[in-house]
PDB file of all heavy atoms in Angstrom:
ATOM      1  N   GLU H 225      81.580 209.582 139.454  1.00 87.00           N
ATOM      2  CA  GLU H 225      80.979 210.652 138.644  1.00 87.00           C
ATOM      3  C   GLU H 225      80.159 210.064 137.509  1.00 87.00           C
ATOM      4  O   GLU H 225      80.468 208.988 136.970  1.00 87.00           O
ATOM      5  CB  GLU H 225      82.059 211.580 138.085  1.00 87.00           C
ATOM      6  CG  GLU H 225      82.694 212.475 139.141  1.00 87.00           C
ATOM      7  CD  GLU H 225      83.416 213.662 138.521  1.00 87.00           C
ATOM      8  OE1 GLU H 225      84.603 213.522 138.203  1.00 87.00           O
ATOM      9  OE2 GLU H 225      82.780 214.728 138.356  1.00 87.00           O
ATOM     10  N   VAL H 226      79.104 210.792 137.142  1.00 85.00           N
ATOM     11  CA  VAL H 226      78.168 210.329 136.119  1.00 85.00           C
ATOM     12  C   VAL H 226      78.200 211.291 134.938  1.00 85.00           C
ATOM     13  O   VAL H 226      78.212 212.517 135.106  1.00 85.00           O
ATOM     14  CB  VAL H 226      76.735 210.239 136.684  1.00 85.00           C
ATOM     15  CG1 VAL H 226      75.740 209.875 135.591  1.00 85.00           C
ATOM     16  CG2 VAL H 226      76.680 209.241 137.841  1.00 85.00           C
ATOM     17  N   GLU H 227      78.216 210.745 133.734  1.00 85.00           N
ATOM     18  CA  GLU H 227      78.167 211.533 132.502  1.00 85.00           C
ATOM     19  C   GLU H 227      77.156 210.869 131.572  1.00 85.00           C
ATOM     20  O   GLU H 227      77.284 209.689 131.241  1.00 85.00           O
ATOM     21  CB  GLU H 227      79.553 211.566 131.846  1.00 85.00           C
ATOM     22  CG  GLU H 227      79.668 212.485 130.648  1.00 85.00           C
ATOM     23  CD  GLU H 227      79.741 213.963 131.034  1.00 85.00           C
ATOM     24  OE1 GLU H 227      80.245 214.285 132.122  1.00 85.00           O
ATOM     25  OE2 GLU H 227      79.287 214.796 130.229  1.00 85.00           O
ATOM     26  N   ASN H 228      76.148 211.642 131.153  1.00 82.00           N
ATOM     27  CA  ASN H 228      75.094 211.106 130.288  1.00 82.00           C
ATOM     28  C   ASN H 228      74.454 209.849 130.893  1.00 82.00           C
ATOM     29  O   ASN H 228      74.248 208.839 130.217  1.00 82.00           O
ATOM     30  CB  ASN H 228      75.640 210.788 128.892  1.00 82.00           C
ATOM     31  CG  ASN H 228      76.106 212.035 128.175  1.00 82.00           C
ATOM     32  OD1 ASN H 228      75.533 213.111 128.328  1.00 82.00           O
ATOM     33  ND2 ASN H 228      77.174 211.890 127.393  1.00 82.00           N
ATOM     34  N   LYS H 229      74.189 209.928 132.204  1.00 84.00           N
ATOM     35  CA  LYS H 229      73.529 208.860 132.959  1.00 84.00           C
ATOM     36  C   LYS H 229      74.354 207.576 133.030  1.00 84.00           C
ATOM     37  O   LYS H 229      73.828 206.508 133.344  1.00 84.00           O
ATOM     38  CB  LYS H 229      72.149 208.553 132.359  1.00 84.00           C
ATOM     39  CG  LYS H 229      71.197 209.753 132.374  1.00 84.00           C
ATOM     40  CD  LYS H 229      69.838 209.392 131.803  1.00 84.00           C
ATOM     41  CE  LYS H 229      68.897 210.586 131.822  1.00 84.00           C
ATOM     42  NZ  LYS H 229      67.558 210.260 131.281  1.00 84.00           N
ATOM     43  N   GLU H 230      75.649 207.682 132.749  1.00 87.00           N
ATOM     44  CA  GLU H 230      76.546 206.530 132.849  1.00 87.00           C
ATOM     45  C   GLU H 230      77.603 206.824 133.912  1.00 87.00           C
ATOM     46  O   GLU H 230      78.131 207.938 133.992  1.00 87.00           O
ATOM     47  CB  GLU H 230      77.247 206.271 131.512  1.00 87.00           C
ATOM     48  CG  GLU H 230      76.319 205.949 130.362  1.00 87.00           C
ATOM     49  CD  GLU H 230      76.021 204.458 130.273  1.00 87.00           C
ATOM     50  OE1 GLU H 230      76.462 203.715 131.176  1.00 87.00           O
ATOM     51  OE2 GLU H 230      75.356 204.042 129.313  1.00 87.00           O
ATOM     52  N   VAL H 231      77.904 205.818 134.743  1.00 90.00           N
ATOM     53  CA  VAL H 231      78.982 205.960 135.725  1.00 90.00           C
ATOM     54  C   VAL H 231      80.302 205.880 134.971  1.00 90.00           C
ATOM     55  O   VAL H 231      80.609 204.869 134.331  1.00 90.00           O
ATOM     56  CB  VAL H 231      78.902 204.871 136.808  1.00 90.00           C
ATOM     57  CG1 VAL H 231      80.041 205.046 137.817  1.00 90.00           C
ATOM     58  CG2 VAL H 231      77.553 204.920 137.520  1.00 90.00           C
ATOM     59  N   VAL H 232      81.083 206.929 135.037  1.00 88.00           N
ATOM     60  CA  VAL H 232      82.244 207.063 134.153  1.00 88.00           C
ATOM     61  C   VAL H 232      83.305 206.018 134.447  1.00 88.00           C
ATOM     62  O   VAL H 232      83.910 205.460 133.523  1.00 88.00           O
ATOM     63  CB  VAL H 232      82.835 208.490 134.250  1.00 88.00           C
ATOM     64  CG1 VAL H 232      84.039 208.629 133.320  1.00 88.00           C
ATOM     65  CG2 VAL H 232      81.786 209.523 133.888  1.00 88.00           C
ATOM     66  N   ASN H 233      83.573 205.719 135.720  1.00 87.00           N
ATOM     67  CA  ASN H 233      84.624 204.733 136.010  1.00 87.00           C
ATOM     68  C   ASN H 233      84.212 203.334 135.530  1.00 87.00           C
ATOM     69  O   ASN H 233      85.078 202.514 135.179  1.00 87.00           O
ATOM     70  CB  ASN H 233      84.982 204.720 137.494  1.00 87.00           C
ATOM     71  CG  ASN H 233      83.799 204.497 138.399  1.00 87.00           C
ATOM     72  OD1 ASN H 233      82.957 205.376 138.551  1.00 87.00           O
ATOM     73  ND2 ASN H 233      83.737 203.309 139.005  1.00 87.00           N
ATOM     74  N   GLU H 234      82.901 203.063 135.457  1.00 88.00           N
ATOM     75  CA  GLU H 234      82.462 201.776 134.905  1.00 88.00           C
ATOM     76  C   GLU H 234      82.666 201.750 133.394  1.00 88.00           C
ATOM     77  O   GLU H 234      83.085 200.724 132.831  1.00 88.00           O
ATOM     78  CB  GLU H 234      80.992 201.536 135.259  1.00 88.00           C
ATOM     79  CG  GLU H 234      80.753 201.340 136.749  1.00 88.00           C
ATOM     80  CD  GLU H 234      79.278 201.141 137.078  1.00 88.00           C
ATOM     81  OE1 GLU H 234      78.441 201.173 136.127  1.00 88.00           O
ATOM     82  OE2 GLU H 234      78.950 200.941 138.265  1.00 88.00           O
ATOM     83  N   LEU H 235      82.383 202.878 132.731  1.00 89.00           N
ATOM     84  CA  LEU H 235      82.665 202.964 131.290  1.00 89.00           C
ATOM     85  C   LEU H 235      84.160 202.796 131.024  1.00 89.00           C
ATOM     86  O   LEU H 235      84.569 202.119 130.073  1.00 89.00           O
ATOM     87  CB  LEU H 235      82.203 204.316 130.745  1.00 89.00           C
ATOM     88  CG  LEU H 235      80.700 204.526 130.536  1.00 89.00           C
ATOM     89  CD1 LEU H 235      80.435 205.960 130.093  1.00 89.00           C
ATOM     90  CD2 LEU H 235      80.170 203.550 129.490  1.00 89.00           C
ATOM     91  N   TYR H 236      84.968 203.420 131.858  1.00 88.00           N
ATOM     92  CA  TYR H 236      86.422 203.329 131.716  1.00 88.00           C
ATOM     93  C   TYR H 236      86.885 201.876 131.807  1.00 88.00           C
ATOM     94  O   TYR H 236      87.730 201.426 131.013  1.00 88.00           O
ATOM     95  CB  TYR H 236      87.075 204.182 132.808  1.00 88.00           C
ATOM     96  CG  TYR H 236      88.585 204.185 132.792  1.00 88.00           C
ATOM     97  CD1 TYR H 236      89.302 204.628 131.683  1.00 88.00           C
ATOM     98  CD2 TYR H 236      89.304 203.765 133.912  1.00 88.00           C
ATOM     99  CE1 TYR H 236      90.684 204.657 131.682  1.00 88.00           C
ATOM    100  CE2 TYR H 236      90.690 203.786 133.927  1.00 88.00           C
ATOM    101  CZ  TYR H 236      91.373 204.237 132.811  1.00 88.00           C
ATOM    102  OH  TYR H 236      92.746 204.253 132.820  1.00 88.00           O
ATOM    103  N   GLN H 237      86.306 201.142 132.743  1.00 90.00           N
ATOM    104  CA  GLN H 237      86.667 199.729 132.874  1.00 90.00           C
ATOM    105  C   GLN H 237      86.207 198.934 131.655  1.00 90.00           C
ATOM    106  O   GLN H 237      86.926 198.054 131.165  1.00 90.00           O
ATOM    107  CB  GLN H 237      86.052 199.155 134.151  1.00 90.00           C
ATOM    108  CG  GLN H 237      86.456 197.707 134.416  1.00 90.00           C
ATOM    109  CD  GLN H 237      85.894 197.189 135.730  1.00 90.00           C
ATOM    110  OE1 GLN H 237      85.138 197.880 136.417  1.00 90.00           O
ATOM    111  NE2 GLN H 237      86.254 195.959 136.076  1.00 90.00           N
ATOM    112  N   GLN H 238      85.031 199.278 131.118  1.00 90.00           N
ATOM    113  CA  GLN H 238      84.526 198.580 129.931  1.00 90.00           C
ATOM    114  C   GLN H 238      85.380 198.868 128.694  1.00 90.00           C
ATOM    115  O   GLN H 238      85.557 198.018 127.834  1.00 90.00           O
ATOM    116  CB  GLN H 238      83.084 199.011 129.668  1.00 90.00           C
ATOM    117  CG  GLN H 238      82.098 198.598 130.760  1.00 90.00           C
ATOM    118  CD  GLN H 238      80.769 199.323 130.656  1.00 90.00           C
ATOM    119  OE1 GLN H 238      80.441 199.892 129.610  1.00 90.00           O
ATOM    120  NE2 GLN H 238      80.001 199.324 131.740  1.00 90.00           N
ATOM    121  N   TRP H 239      85.919 200.095 128.603  1.00 90.00           N
ATOM    122  CA  TRP H 239      86.702 200.483 127.425  1.00 90.00           C
ATOM    123  C   TRP H 239      88.159 200.013 127.493  1.00 90.00           C
ATOM    124  O   TRP H 239      88.773 199.725 126.466  1.00 90.00           O
ATOM    125  CB  TRP H 239      86.698 202.011 127.275  1.00 90.00           C
ATOM    126  CG  TRP H 239      85.354 202.577 126.952  1.00 90.00           C
ATOM    127  CD1 TRP H 239      84.255 201.909 126.482  1.00 90.00           C
ATOM    128  CD2 TRP H 239      84.946 203.946 127.100  1.00 90.00           C
ATOM    129  NE1 TRP H 239      83.198 202.764 126.315  1.00 90.00           N
ATOM    130  CE2 TRP H 239      83.583 204.021 126.674  1.00 90.00           C
ATOM    131  CE3 TRP H 239      85.571 205.107 127.525  1.00 90.00           C
ATOM    132  CZ2 TRP H 239      82.868 205.218 126.685  1.00 90.00           C
ATOM    133  CZ3 TRP H 239      84.872 206.302 127.524  1.00 90.00           C
ATOM    134  CH2 TRP H 239      83.526 206.341 127.110  1.00 90.00           C
TER     135      TRP H 239
END
Side-chain angles (χ1 to χ4, degrees):
E225 288 198 271
V226 175
E227 187 76 30
N228 296 325
K229 300 181 180 180
E230 299 272 6
V231 180
V232 180
N233 55 288
E234 293 178 359
L235 284 176
Y236 180 60
Q237 184 177 4
Q238 295 166 18
W239 293 343

